[in-house]
Amino acid sequence: MNEGTRTSATCREATFEDAVALGLLVQEALDQAPSAEIRSWELDDAPLDVGRDLLEVTEMREGALLVIAEIGSRLAAVARALPRDLARARHVGETLLLVHPQVRGQGVGTAVLRALTSAAREGGQLTKLVARVASDDRALLRLLEAAGWQPERREEAALDRDGVVCDIEVWAQHLEDAIRG
């Protein structure tokens, strides 16, 4: 598919039946995700284990959400909101977004982020989503800005990618302000 071509993706909540495909997506997308704080080789697990771990953590944490985007029968993206651990901050969901490298720039990230935002709003436990983004991850910064997210702060020299240090920008979406769509 061509860069910039819009692809129709179907979004839904992830289930344990998605574990292998989810693990493969994570492993394939991590190394080409500039904002990822880990790399695929650090996972040390088979795709089934990676996917199962992601699903189990989401299932165990009250208010956590895990949404996937599919193109046909192929998993194309995943978005997760995980409530913070501290009791007074559990209304804030730390957001993870991974899009398969072959479908980046085709609207799949926008679709899965919109589905996650909608699910968080409907769930009612999260009132704010936050994402940590590498300052040079222009694609993700554009996606968040277009989705109505706002920059909150910058953490200097907070991400070390194999000896190359860059800043992290923290972006937020207050769910009461999120555009319904």
Side-chain angles (χ1 to χ4, degrees):
M1 290 186 193
N2 296 332
E3 181 74 18
T5 302
R6 293 293 171 210
T7 301
S8 180
T10 303
C11 298
R12 63 175 175 82
E13 186 176 332
T15 68
F16 278 92
E17 292 175 0
D18 301 311
V20 172
L22 186 57
L24 285 169
L25 171 70
V26 169
Q27 290 178 332
E28 292 171 2
L30 273 179
D31 293 334
Q32 294 183 41
S35 294
E37 296 185 21
I38 63 169
R39 294 291 176 223
S40 64
W41 57 266
E42 295 177 81
L43 295 175
D44 258 354
D45 288 326
L48 173 62
D49 297 326
V50 172
R52 188 181 299 145
D53 289 348
L54 191 57
L55 287 155
E56 286 174 353
V57 167
T58 303
E59 186 176 83
M60 290 187 308
R61 185 81 59 91
E62 186 177 343
L65 301 164
L66 187 63
V67 177
I68 58 173
E70 296 171 307
I71 298 173
S73 61
R74 183 171 165 233
L75 190 57
V78 60
R80 179 180 77 178
L82 194 63
R84 289 186 172 161
D85 288 327
L86 300 173
R88 292 185 176 186
R90 288 191 184 128
H91 65 285
V92 178
E94 298 282 347
T95 304
L96 163 81
L97 175 66
L98 286 173
V99 177
H100 194 281
Q102 292 180 344
V103 296
R104 289 192 181 141
Q106 298 176 29
V108 178
T110 299
V112 76
L113 184 62
R114 182 174 291 148
L116 179 73
T117 302
S118 178
R121 190 182 314 103
E122 290 171 14
Q125 293 185 338
L126 299 174
T127 61
K128 178 181 177 181
L129 299 176
V130 295
R132 293 171 46 86
V133 183
S135 60
D136 61 353
D137 190 346
R138 295 291 158 225
L140 184 51
L141 291 169
R142 280 191 308 270
L143 188 154
L144 293 173
E145 185 174 17
W149 290 53
Q150 300 294 318
E152 283 202 334
R153 69 179 182 281
R154 188 177 191 96
E155 299 173 5
E156 293 184 18
L159 181 62
D160 183 343
R161 294 185 296 219
D162 304 318
V164 178
V165 178
C166 72
D167 296 348
I168 288 285
E169 295 183 24
V170 178
W171 283 63
Q173 173 69 274
H174 294 270
L175 296 176
E176 59 273 8
D177 297 337
I179 297 172
R180 299 176 194 269

